[in-house]
Amino acid sequence: MTTAPALRGAREPVTDGPDEAAEQATFDALIAAEQRIEPRDWMPEAYRKTLIRQISQHAHSEIIGMQPEGNWITRAPSLKRKAILMAKVQDEAGHGLYLYSAAQTLGITRDEMTEQLIAGKAKYSSIFNYPTPTWADMGAIGWLVDGAAICNQVPLCRASYGPYGRAMVRICKEESFHQRQGFEILLALMQGTPAQRQMAQDAVNRWYWPSLMMFGPPDDESPNSAQSMEWKIKRFSNDELRQRFVGMLVPQAAVLGVTLPDPELRWDEDAQRWHMSEIDWTEFHEVLRGRGPMNAERLRNRRNAHEDGAWVREAAAEYARRQAARAEGKVA
Ligand SMILES: [Fe+2]
Ligand SMILES: [Fe+2]
């Protein structure tokens, strides 16, 4: 498998003299004018590092996120459901690949990112550390998890870093399909037997709170947010996005006939916002620290897949080497 050309070093920031001030001024002007920063452009080191962290975490989430649903491909209740679920899980692999490629333009290699993930040093979305015990979980993940992903990601289509924003445009189109297929699984179950309705409600109960946690900690405890908003990577705060998501869910839950598991949830007319119960941030931080129900298994599976796939990478690299040699006329 080919690795990214080493961009690092080629684009080291100028660290002294008036040049850096001029570069910074150009960068600031591009951001202020809503222009895109491209890989060839100078950028502050902190901007680059923030993007590498965010895009690689996002890529890891897509790849680890294949596991909870991949778990159900062989047990989907019909051929049609199996085909839809396979397409969905395959889309997530594609999302991971676009995002790894976007991160590579910032000077980190795919191998480095993979190494960070399988060594347990990189973060990925804590939502994927929850188990999927029933078929209804496929519905709840599509409706709630992909739904939250859309709320988070639509504004990222306008992220100031070009390769990230462009990757998000395509990803968001596919996420809409994911959200609808999840909604449709739940709708079918809610029109079924009492046991099926119970299964759907139970899955919604288990995924609702973790999906609200996907937007990250409350604004006053989110230290990196302000800088990311200044750099126009992030466009809305965590709490704003969470509010928007809940506003999207409420009418859809009514159509489904499921109850959102928060007795405090109501529209506050005076404050013009959704009033909701306190989120259990202790659980969020526990899962984030690797102590969620499935963290160890998710990483173990990823590590095994990487090791089992070593021969494929070697064969692909050897094939590419031979093709290149042939093109140069070195091999008959
Ligand atoms: Fe995705
Ligand atoms: Fe998705």
Side-chain angles (χ1 to χ4, degrees):
M1 199 140 290
T2 51
T3 50
L7 294 175
R8 190 179 293 147
R11 305 182 340 101
E12 283 296 322
V14 182
T15 49
D16 57 343
D19 285 357
E20 191 188 1
E23 301 275 30
Q24 179 75 51
T26 307
F27 173 85
D28 291 344
L30 284 171
I31 297 280
E34 297 281 333
Q35 298 282 313
R36 287 245 151 106
I37 305 300
E38 296 296 339
R40 62 173 182 269
D41 296 330
W42 181 91
M43 62 190 85
E45 217 26 46
Y47 177 82
R48 180 196 308 277
K49 284 200 176 117
T50 297
L51 280 166
I52 288 179
R53 182 175 46 92
Q54 180 171 338
I55 302 174
S56 64
Q57 282 178 14
H58 192 161
H60 297 327
S61 303
E62 302 283 356
I63 296 298
I64 294 284
M66 295 166 73
Q67 291 186 38
E69 290 168 292
N71 177 36
W72 273 93
I73 289 175
T74 55
R75 294 176 291 162
S78 69
L79 184 61
K80 183 181 133 198
R81 294 289 184 199
K82 188 194 281 260
I84 294 170
L85 189 60
M86 275 174 67
K88 199 257 183 192
V89 172
Q90 213 164 25
D91 282 352
E92 306 300 6
H95 298 174
L97 296 187
Y98 310 150
L99 290 165
Y100 281 130
S101 301
Q104 281 176 292
T105 66
L106 291 156
I108 187 167
T109 66
R110 174 86 175 268
D111 286 345
E112 284 172 294
M113 288 184 275
T114 304
E115 198 43 54
Q116 289 169 357
L117 176 63
I118 60 180
K121 289 183 197 146
K123 288 203 179 89
Y124 56 86
S125 179
S126 57
I127 194 82
F128 301 117
N129 292 316
Y130 290 89
T132 46
T134 73
W135 171 250
D137 289 291
M138 299 305 97
I141 288 182
W143 184 45
L144 296 171
V145 176
D146 291 278
I150 294 169
C151 283
N152 253 330
Q153 292 172 9
V154 165
L156 289 175
C157 296
R158 294 190 293 127
S160 57
Y161 188 58
Y164 193 30
R166 287 189 289 273
M168 292 318 302
V169 172
R170 179 148 178 193
I171 289 175
C172 283
K173 286 187 183 149
E174 292 174 346
E175 295 301 355
S176 307
F177 153 65
H178 299 172
Q179 203 250 359
R180 277 156 191 259
Q181 66 87 37
F183 181 89
E184 205 263 334
I185 288 173
L186 291 177
L187 190 63
L189 289 171
M190 289 305 289
Q191 289 166 350
T193 64
Q196 287 173 316
R197 285 202 292 277
Q198 185 53 50
M199 186 166 75
Q201 180 64 57
D202 177 63
V204 170
N205 292 349
R206 283 181 290 106
W207 289 94
Y208 177 73
W209 291 108
S211 73
L212 292 189
M213 294 176 199
M214 284 173 71
F215 297 94
D219 293 348
D220 47 10
E221 292 165 33
S222 181
N224 298 328
S225 283
Q227 178 63 78
S228 281
M229 285 178 69
E230 239 167 72
W231 277 331
K232 296 184 180 164
I233 297 171
K234 205 174 156 77
R235 300 281 179 163
F236 300 98
S237 76
N238 296 354
D239 288 331
E240 281 170 337
L241 290 167
R242 199 166 6 248
Q243 283 281 324
R244 188 180 285 200
F245 178 56
V246 169
M248 185 186 89
L249 289 185
V250 168
Q252 294 183 1
V255 173
L256 286 173
V258 296
T259 306
L260 296 176
D262 181 2
E264 296 282 315
L265 183 61
R266 61 180 166 79
W267 175 249
D268 183 337
E269 190 59 41
D270 295 338
Q272 286 292 299
R273 64 198 313 275
W274 292 94
H275 173 80
M276 49 183 105
S277 305
E278 187 65 35
I279 293 176
D280 182 359
W281 293 110
T282 318
E283 175 184 316
F284 174 76
H285 289 297
E286 278 296 290
V287 179
L288 214 58
R289 284 189 194 108
R291 294 194 284 265
M294 302 297 282
N295 293 57
E297 185 177 325
R298 299 288 185 243
L299 266 192
R300 190 167 55 243
N301 285 342
R302 185 67 200 85
R303 203 173 293 130
N304 290 345
H306 187 69
E307 282 162 17
D308 291 347
W311 70 272
V312 180
R313 292 190 297 278
E314 278 163 27
E318 178 60 16
Y319 180 74
R321 194 189 62 75
R322 286 192 192 190
Q323 290 293 98
R326 191 162 294 155
E328 284 173 27
K330 287 181 186 160
V331 178

